[in-house]
């Protein structure tokens, strides 16, 4: 019999399932690199458009390559009217992540290259979705508030244009740049749950859009991408810095979780959280409202102190912790935080789906097909007798 490895009930932690050329997370040192480049350099020198090119093409673009890519992104920002029509028929209470997930197959139906499985066509599909998802997220927020969607402004950057389509007002340069940095920070993180979901679907030879639908579904969970909006709910619930200590202590003693704290891979500070802490502080100064920054900082400190007492170990903020107050101060509605994560992570997902489809980091494409032990009813090798419905007692 073929030997299997015992890796049950550990959520695949530490189990290597593939090679990748896209990014690396050093959980011990707290480093994150995209295609060999440190995230700290990327947020200093790059833009989301350039980082998306880097993730997709494995190298930084030359000036003319970047210009061409930016123009392609701008020219693909519009979505078919059907997308707005579908939104107008949906109940206003529908969750923005569900709307986003449902809009992707509509976009698929309008893609002239949907069934073209060439590498080039997959890059085109990636560009289209990177360009269009911000429009979908912004339009849903406006339609549910009975406002007209705002048409994209080709003069604005990817980040600036999203904030504009959401509010109808062109953002100031500092806010647009801070949001651009947020998009860079959320764009890629190796084999996280949503990326793995997308890659698994790609491994079945399903089309590009089907993989992205799976990734969006996985991202929506509260212990993955859903954590950022849960952090905001927590900040609102705690309300005041002087309530932090007792709130955190009670939460942890009852076995609850402080959202935005802890990470499956980082055992030191997540480098993205350090950068976001800085943005949060800057925004607090600019908006002249330090409440959310101070509250977040106080929860971080109290959680660390209480965690040391209770578990004798350290815990650190993850990418979601400071991004909640950052987005709140940018006037992004709380239930849009996770869709905002998706409009950034689409670049990483796209790179992974293409890597999976074209076996760019392994010898050949392979269908993911793990194994499980059957622990259900068993009546012997011949299976259980089928009892006709009229003879079943209960
Ligand atoms: C992300 C997460 C799922 C990682 O969990 P993990 O891989 O089990 O992390 P660890 O193995 O380091 O957890 C060790 C212990 O700390 C606890 N812990 C981890 N994060 C915690 C948190 N935010 N609040 C309270 N306790 C936490 C775990 O429950 C575990 O307790 P146990 O030893 O009594 O079972 C977890 O930290 C979490 O749920 N965080 C909150 C949700 C969140 O912010 N998610 C976004 C991630 S980017």
């Amino acid at each position: 019999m073929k030997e299997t490895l015992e890796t049950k009930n550990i959520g695949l932690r530490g189990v290597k399932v593939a090679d990748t050329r896209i990014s690396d997370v050093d959980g011990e040192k707290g480093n994150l690199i995209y295609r060999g480049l440190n995230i700290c350099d990327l947020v200093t020198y790059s833009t989301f458009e350039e980082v998306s090119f880097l993730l997709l093409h494995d190298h930084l673009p030359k000036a003319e390559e970047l210009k061409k890519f930016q123009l392609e992104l701008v020219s693909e920002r519009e979505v078919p009217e059907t997308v707005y029509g579908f939104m107008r028929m949906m109940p206003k209470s529908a969750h923005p992540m569900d709307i986003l997930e449902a809009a992707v197959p509509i976009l698929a139906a309008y893609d002239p290259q949907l069934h073209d499985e060439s590498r080039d066509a997959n890059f085109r599909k990636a560009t289209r979705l990177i360009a269009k998802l911000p429009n979908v997220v912004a339009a849903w927020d406006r339609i549910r508030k009975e406002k007209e969607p705002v048409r994209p402004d080709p003069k604005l950057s990817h980040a600036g244009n999203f904030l504009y389509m959401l509010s109808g007002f062109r953002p100031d340069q500092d806010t647009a740049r801070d949001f651009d940095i947020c998009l860079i920070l959320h764009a890629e993180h190796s084999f996280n749950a949503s990326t793995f979901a997308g890659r698994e679907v790609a491994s079945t030879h399903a089309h590009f859009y089907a993989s992205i639908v799976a990734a969006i579904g996985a991202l929506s969970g509260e212990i993955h991408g859903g954590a950022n909006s849960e952090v905001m709910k927590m900040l609102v619930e705690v309300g005041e810095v002087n309530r932090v200590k007792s709130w955190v202590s009670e939460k942890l003693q009852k076995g609850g979780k402080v959202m935005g704290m802890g990470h499956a891979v980082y055992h030191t500070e997540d480098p993205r959280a350090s950068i976001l802490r800085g943005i949060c502080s800057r925004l607090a100064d600019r908006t002249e409202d330090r409440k959310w920054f101070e509250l977040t900082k106080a929860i971080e400190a109290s959680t660390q102190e209480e965690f040391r007492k209770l578990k004798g170990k350290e815990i650190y903020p993850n990418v979601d912790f400071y991004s909640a107050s950052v987005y709140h101060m940018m006037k992004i509605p709380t239930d849009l935080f996770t869709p905002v994560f998706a409009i950034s992570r689409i670049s990483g997902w796209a790179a992974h789906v293409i890597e999976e489809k074209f076996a760019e980091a392994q010898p050949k494409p392979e269908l993911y097909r793990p194994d499980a032990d059957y622990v259900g009813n068993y009546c012997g090798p011949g299976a259980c007798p089928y009892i006709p419905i009229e003879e079943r007692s209960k």
Side-chain angles (χ1 to χ4, degrees):
M1 219 172 95
K2 207 173 147 197
E3 230 177 85
T4 52
L5 214 58
E6 269 308 322
T7 47
K8 286 190 296 186
N9 301 322
I10 55 166
L12 294 181
R13 299 287 195 290
V15 178
K16 293 194 188 300
V17 295
D19 290 332
T20 181
R21 297 180 51 83
I22 301 169
S23 70
D24 189 37
V25 182
D26 183 337
E28 302 309 318
K29 294 202 181 82
N31 281 333
L32 170 61
I33 59 168
Y34 293 174
R35 300 285 194 186
L37 292 162
N38 194 296
I39 191 75
C40 299
D41 288 333
L42 291 172
V43 297
T44 309
Y45 304 115
S46 198
T47 60
F48 177 71
E49 288 89 327
E50 185 177 63
V51 166
S52 298
F53 184 100
L54 170 72
L55 290 170
L56 287 174
H57 297 285
D58 206 3
H59 64 90
L60 281 171
K62 295 194 192 94
E64 62 277 19
E65 285 176 316
L66 181 59
K67 200 166 168 209
K68 184 168 172 270
F69 184 60
Q70 282 169 326
L71 285 174
E72 279 168 11
L73 285 174
V74 167
S75 71
E76 291 287 357
R77 282 179 184 167
E78 294 278 0
V79 297
E81 277 299 321
T82 317
V83 172
Y84 299 148
F86 136 77
M87 289 178 185
R88 289 193 178 98
M89 289 190 302
M90 293 299 288
K92 306 262 181 289
S93 57
H95 195 281
M97 277 303 268
D98 292 333
I99 296 290
L100 184 64
E101 202 179 318
V104 172
I106 301 178
L107 295 174
Y110 283 89
D111 192 314
Q113 293 175 296
L114 181 62
H115 297 296
D116 180 346
E117 276 302 335
S118 65
R119 235 170 136 258
D120 186 57
N122 276 287
F123 282 123
R124 299 282 311 144
K125 290 176 223 184
T127 308
R128 289 187 187 115
L129 274 193
I130 295 169
K132 291 182 198 311
L133 292 194
N135 190 338
V136 172
V137 173
W140 171 244
D141 190 57
R142 295 188 65 86
I143 287 172
R144 69 179 172 169
K145 290 173 178 159
E146 301 197 336
K147 294 180 185 166
E148 274 305 301
V150 173
R151 291 293 197 238
D153 179 346
K155 291 197 199 73
L156 294 178
S157 69
H158 194 79
N161 181 58
F162 171 72
L163 294 175
Y164 168 61
M165 284 192 297
L166 189 62
S167 66
F169 299 102
R170 287 173 183 80
D172 64 80
Q173 278 196 348
D174 290 338
T175 306
R177 175 58 183 156
D178 281 340
F179 187 62
D180 185 48
I181 294 175
C182 294
L183 294 180
I184 296 173
L185 291 175
H186 286 81
E188 165 55 14
H189 211 242
S190 193
F191 268 59
N192 58 89
S194 55
T195 300
F196 185 50
R199 286 190 75 129
E200 177 161 15
V201 172
S203 87
T204 70
H205 295 192
H207 59 60
F208 185 88
Y209 289 81
S211 298
I212 301 304
V213 170
I216 294 173
L219 189 74
S220 68
E222 68 165 20
I223 62 168
H224 187 16
N228 52 14
S229 44
E230 295 302 315
V231 172
M232 195 62 226
K233 288 181 204 158
M234 169 180 78
L235 294 174
V236 171
E237 188 187 325
V238 177
E240 300 292 336
V241 170
N242 61 16
R243 291 194 57 227
V244 165
K245 248 181 173 325
S246 57
W247 189 93
V248 167
S249 156
E250 196 185 328
K251 184 79 168 176
L252 290 183
Q253 273 167 20
K254 283 188 177 154
K257 285 199 167 174
V258 176
M259 301 313 273
M261 296 292 291
H263 199 275
V265 182
Y266 291 113
H267 301 296
T268 181
E269 178 147 306
D270 180 335
R272 302 167 300 173
S274 325
I275 298 164
L276 284 159
R277 191 189 286 109
I279 296 180
C280 193
S281 172
R282 275 207 302 274
L283 261 167
D285 288 341
R286 275 212 305 281
T287 56
E288 294 177 6
D289 179 4
R290 297 197 64 79
K291 172 179 172 167
W292 302 106
F293 175 65
E294 297 301 342
L295 200 51
T296 313
K297 237 175 41 161
I299 294 178
E300 175 185 0
S302 267
T303 306
Q304 291 179 321
E305 195 186 320
E306 194 66 28
F307 208 74
R308 250 174 247 132
K309 271 196 249 158
L310 277 175
K311 297 206 191 270
K313 41 184 182 177
E314 296 297 323
I315 188 162
Y316 302 92
N318 60 51
V319 68
D320 297 310
F321 197 63
Y322 280 94
S323 58
S325 30
V326 165
Y327 294 156
H328 183 74
M329 286 189 274
M330 288 178 178
K331 301 195 172 12
I332 298 173
T334 303
D335 64 356
L336 248 50
F337 291 2
T338 313
V340 163
F341 193 154
I343 66 172
S344 160
R345 186 57 60 86
I346 177 65
S347 299
W349 291 333
H352 278 274
V353 167
I354 291 171
E355 183 174 78
E356 187 71 50
K357 278 181 180 288
F358 298 95
E360 289 177 344
Q362 66 188 56
K364 64 181 183 68
E366 196 69 73
L367 175 72
Y368 286 105
R369 194 0 179 142
D371 211 350
D373 280 329
Y374 176 67
V375 293
N377 292 333
Y378 184 70
C379 313
C384 302
Y386 179 85
I387 302 168
I389 196 159
E390 60 281 4
E391 291 172 27
R392 293 173 212 162
S393 48
K394 261 193 189 164

